[in-house]
């Protein structure tokens, strides 16, 4: 069976799983202390869902989930990460998170877990993160190190650094 057919078969169940997982994160972020009065309820607003994609993808990969969440009244941003390496991608996301007023729920996939573990650090408006098959490394770990721990992973073989020029004129790599 080729990969395209496998993807088509898995697409609907995966979309449902992502929607349910994000909904659970939204529920967790919306829970208020039992003593919260009506005034607090009146000021409560739905958290903004920020969808952070994985490597080898872009923000359009979550269009179905974004549409469902917006239909249910949640503000949603599908972050268009530059995929220029963890340091640059995390800085980009950190700036995006700082520009959002109110609470945030991060919904991440694969490489996005590594990005948020750096970008969300210290961001007081991030209330929870929902990971969907995300790599969330500890200090000193990287996504390729984590992927190599699991038999059958092809992440390391798929990464091919490509030289790029960074905005400040220095040289870097992209994958």
């Amino acid at each position: 069976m080729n990969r395209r057919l496998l993807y088509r078969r898995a697409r609907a169940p995966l979309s449902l799983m992502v929607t349910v997982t994000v909904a659970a994160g939204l529920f967790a972020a919306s829970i208020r202390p039992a003593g919260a009065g009506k005034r607090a309820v009146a000021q409560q607003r739905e958290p903004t869902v920020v969808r952070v994609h994985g490597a080898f993808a872009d923000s359009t990969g979550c269009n179905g989930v974004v549409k469902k969440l917006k239909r249910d009244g949640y503000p949603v941003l599908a972050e268009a990460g530059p995929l220029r390496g963890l340091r640059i991608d995390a800085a980009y996301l950190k700036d995006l998170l700082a520009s959002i007023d109110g609470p945030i729920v991060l919904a991440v996939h694969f490489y996005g877990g590594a990005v948020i573990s750096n970008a969300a650090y210290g961001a007081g408006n991030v209330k929870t993160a929902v990971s969907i098959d995300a790599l969330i490394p500890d200090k000193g770990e990287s996504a390729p190190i984590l992927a190599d721990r699991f038999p059958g992973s092809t992440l390391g073989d798929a990464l091919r650094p490509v030289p790029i020029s960074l905005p400040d004129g220095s040289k870097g790599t992209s994958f």
Side-chain angles (χ1 to χ4, degrees), residues 9-172:
R9 282 187 169 175
R11 189 175 184 174
L14 286 174
S15 179
L16 177 62
M17 180 183 73
V18 169
T19 302
V20 168
T21 305
V22 171
L26 289 168
F27 176 74
S30 67
I31 296 174
R32 292 182 299 280
K38 289 184 180 182
R39 180 179 170 102
V41 172
Q43 293 176 348
Q44 179 70 21
R45 61 184 263 195
E46 300 297 345
T48 299
V49 178
V50 177
R51 177 67 169 83
V52 182
H53 60 80
F56 314 113
D58 66 16
S59 60
T60 62
C62 54
N63 283 349
V65 173
V66 168
K67 184 178 178 180
K68 290 175 186 176
L69 289 168
K70 284 187 172 187
R71 183 185 62 224
D72 290 343
Y74 292 96
V76 183
L77 290 172
E79 176 257 5
L83 296 176
R84 295 291 184 236
L86 187 55
R87 183 176 52 82
I88 293 170
D89 296 350
Y92 174 86
L93 180 59
K94 190 171 202 69
D95 288 344
L96 177 66
L97 298 176
S99 74
I100 298 171
D101 292 328
I104 297 172
V105 171
L106 294 172
V108 303
H109 173 67
F110 194 61
Y111 168 72
V115 174
I116 70 155
S117 67
N118 288 273
Y121 182 77
N125 55 344
V126 174
K127 300 305 177 192
T128 193
V130 178
S131 63
I132 304 124
D133 280 338
L135 296 173
I136 303 179
D138 282 331
K139 188 172 183 174
E141 290 181 323
S142 66
I145 288 171
L146 287 177
D148 285 344
R149 288 186 186 161
F150 302 97
S153 173
T154 59
L155 177 64
D157 297 335
L159 295 177
R160 184 178 63 89
V162 176
I164 61 168
S165 295
L166 300 174
D168 65 1
S170 65
K171 296 296 180 184

